[in-house]
Amino acid sequence: MGVLRDLDKLCINFLWNKADKSSGIHYVEWKILYKQIMFGGQGVVSAVDKVGSWREKFPWSLISNPGSLLNRILIAKYGRNFCFSESKLGCSPTWKILNNGGKFLQQIVKWKVSDGKSINTTKDIWILDKSIDRWPTYVSNLLDEQCCLRYFLHNGSWNIQMLNQSFGKELVDLISTVPINVGSPGDELEILYKYSGKSLASLISDQRSTLEEEDVSWKWLKKLKLRPRVKILWWRLIHKAIRSNEFLMYRRIINFNGCPRGCCEVEDANHLTVNCFFLKKVICVIQKWGFNIQVFSDLESCYN
C-alpha cells in the first residue's frame, strides 16, 4: 500500500507542482480527480482506489478452488462461511487482503440456492443482479430468524405460505422462479456475468460505475465540444477551483478577498465570470460592435 500511495503522490505532484519542481496549490480534491469524466472527474487512475478490485481474485480462488494448500489452511482457521467483513484484530495479513478483495467481489457474485443456510435474505444477491435491500421500492419488515433464507425453504422447495407473509405478490412470483439445487451440498457462489469475456476487475469497475450518478453539469458541457483549455476552465469553475482572491483567502495564502480592479466586491467565481464591473464594461463595448453577448446576474444563470 505504501508503494501505491507513492504512485498516487507522483500523479498529484505531476498535476499541481510547477515546472521548477516547487509546490503548487492543489485546487481540486484527489478523490474528485480520479472519478471518471462522466461522473464529474478527470479520469486519472488512482492505484490506491483500484487495489480492492485487483484483490478480488484471491477470495474468488478461495471460493472456487478450496482444495489448494493455502486455501485448506485458511478454511481450517476461519471456516467455510465466507462472509467478508471488517478484519478482526490479530488476523493474518493474508486474511486482511482476502477481506478487502471480498467486499468488492460481493458486488459481482450471486448465490445459487441449495439449503439457504449461507444466504442473507436481504443483504446477499440471489435474485436477479441486486440484493433486496438495494431495491428502491422495498422496505424490510423481516424478523431476525427470517434474515436467513432457509426460513423460506421447506423440503427442497419454496415455502409459499412463509413468502406471502413477508413479501408482496409480485416478489413472491419472482422468488418462485429461482431454481433450488437440491443435490448440491450447500449454497454456492457464481459470477453474475460469467460469459461477458471481461476480467473480474473490469466487472467490478462496471458495477461501481452503475452505483454513481452521472454529473449533470459535466453532461451538457461535454456536448458543447469545446476546446480542451476552455473545457478545463469550465470544469474548474464548476468545482470552484479558480484562483480568485476569495479562494486564496480561504486557503490562508492572502488576507484580502476583494477585487484587485477596484470593484469593491468579493472576487469569487461569480465575480470573475459575470459580476465584475470592468467585464460588463468590455461586454457593452463588444455589443456596440454588433456581437450579441448576454450579460448574466450570476454564474448559475450562465449555466442555465
Side-chain angles (χ1 to χ4, degrees):
M1 288 301 294
V3 173
L4 297 179
R5 290 191 189 97
D6 286 344
L7 284 172
D8 279 359
K9 190 175 180 180
L10 287 171
C11 293
I12 294 169
N13 292 339
F14 173 77
L15 288 170
W16 300 124
N17 285 4
K18 300 176 183 177
D20 59 357
K21 307 289 182 172
S22 59
S23 298
I25 301 173
H26 294 199
Y27 288 95
V28 184
E29 288 182 272
W30 178 239
K31 64 181 181 182
I32 294 176
L33 277 170
Y34 67 66
K35 284 184 177 181
Q36 295 181 30
I37 292 175
M38 62 189 298
F39 301 123
Q42 285 297 309
V44 182
V45 176
S46 168
V48 173
D49 182 62
K50 291 279 187 181
V51 68
S53 58
W54 293 335
R55 286 173 169 174
E56 89 295 322
K57 60 185 177 182
F58 301 118
W60 180 244
S61 172
L62 179 66
I63 293 166
S64 58
N65 184 25
S68 69
L69 177 59
L70 173 63
N71 293 344
R72 287 206 306 260
I73 294 170
L74 291 170
I75 290 170
K77 185 173 182 180
Y78 298 104
R80 287 183 173 274
N81 189 15
F82 307 121
C83 51
F84 299 105
S85 57
E86 293 296 328
S87 301
K88 296 179 181 178
L89 291 173
C91 65
S92 65
T94 302
W95 189 248
K96 289 179 182 178
I97 291 173
L98 285 166
N99 266 286
N100 184 237
K103 293 173 196 173
F104 289 86
L105 182 67
Q106 287 173 343
Q107 302 171 12
I108 60 165
V109 292
K110 177 182 178 180
W111 282 99
K112 294 168 66 176
V113 181
S114 176
D115 55 15
K117 293 180 180 179
S118 304
I119 304 174
N120 187 300
T121 306
T122 57
K123 295 183 180 180
D124 290 331
I125 302 174
W126 55 279
I127 312 174
L128 302 179
D129 61 348
K130 192 179 292 185
S131 59
I132 293 178
D133 62 354
R134 283 177 49 204
W135 293 16
T137 57
Y138 179 77
V139 178
S140 176
N141 61 347
L142 300 181
L143 303 175
D144 290 340
E145 64 269 14
Q146 295 172 317
C147 290
C148 184
L149 191 62
R150 68 175 178 176
Y151 178 84
F152 300 102
L153 295 169
H154 181 67
N155 293 333
S157 61
W158 293 109
N159 191 330
I160 303 299
Q161 183 181 355
M162 294 296 183
L163 289 172
N164 285 325
Q165 292 176 4
S166 303
F167 305 105
K169 183 180 182 303
E170 292 82 2
L171 191 52
V172 171
D173 293 340
L174 183 60
I175 292 173
S176 302
T177 62
V178 176
I180 299 173
N181 302 319
V182 180
S184 178
D187 303 313
E188 297 176 354
L189 285 167
E190 63 176 350
I191 301 295
L192 272 172
Y193 313 103
K194 55 185 175 182
Y195 300 117
S196 64
K198 294 184 177 181
S199 66
L200 295 180
S202 297
L203 289 174
I204 290 173
S205 179
D206 293 345
Q207 186 70 11
R208 292 180 69 185
S209 297
T210 59
L211 300 177
E212 295 187 60
E213 294 184 5
E214 189 167 359
D215 188 273
V216 178
S217 303
W218 190 247
K219 188 175 181 180
W220 62 259
L221 199 58
K222 283 194 302 182
K223 295 179 180 178
L224 297 181
K225 297 182 179 178
L226 302 171
R227 292 182 180 181
R229 291 182 66 139
V230 179
K231 189 186 294 184
I232 286 293
L233 173 65
W234 276 101
W235 182 82
R236 292 179 67 170
L237 280 169
I238 290 169
H239 291 284
K240 298 180 176 58
I242 294 294
R243 189 171 55 185
S244 61
N245 280 353
E246 172 72 8
F247 177 86
L248 295 174
M249 186 174 177
Y250 176 76
R251 291 291 185 91
R252 298 180 181 178
I253 296 173
I254 61 174
N255 53 12
F256 172 70
N257 63 355
C259 178
R261 299 165 193 85
C263 292
C264 300
E265 293 182 12
V266 175
E267 189 193 45
D268 54 9
N270 270 312
H271 187 81
L272 285 171
T273 50
V274 294
N275 285 339
C276 183
F277 169 77
F278 292 96
L279 176 64
K280 291 180 179 179
K281 193 173 180 181
V282 170
I283 291 175
C284 287
V285 173
I286 295 174
Q287 285 174 340
K288 290 178 182 177
W289 293 348
F291 294 97
N292 184 21
I293 299 177
Q294 281 186 279
V295 178
F296 300 101
S297 59
D298 54 27
L299 191 56
E300 188 64 32
S301 303
C302 187
Y303 286 156
N304 296 331

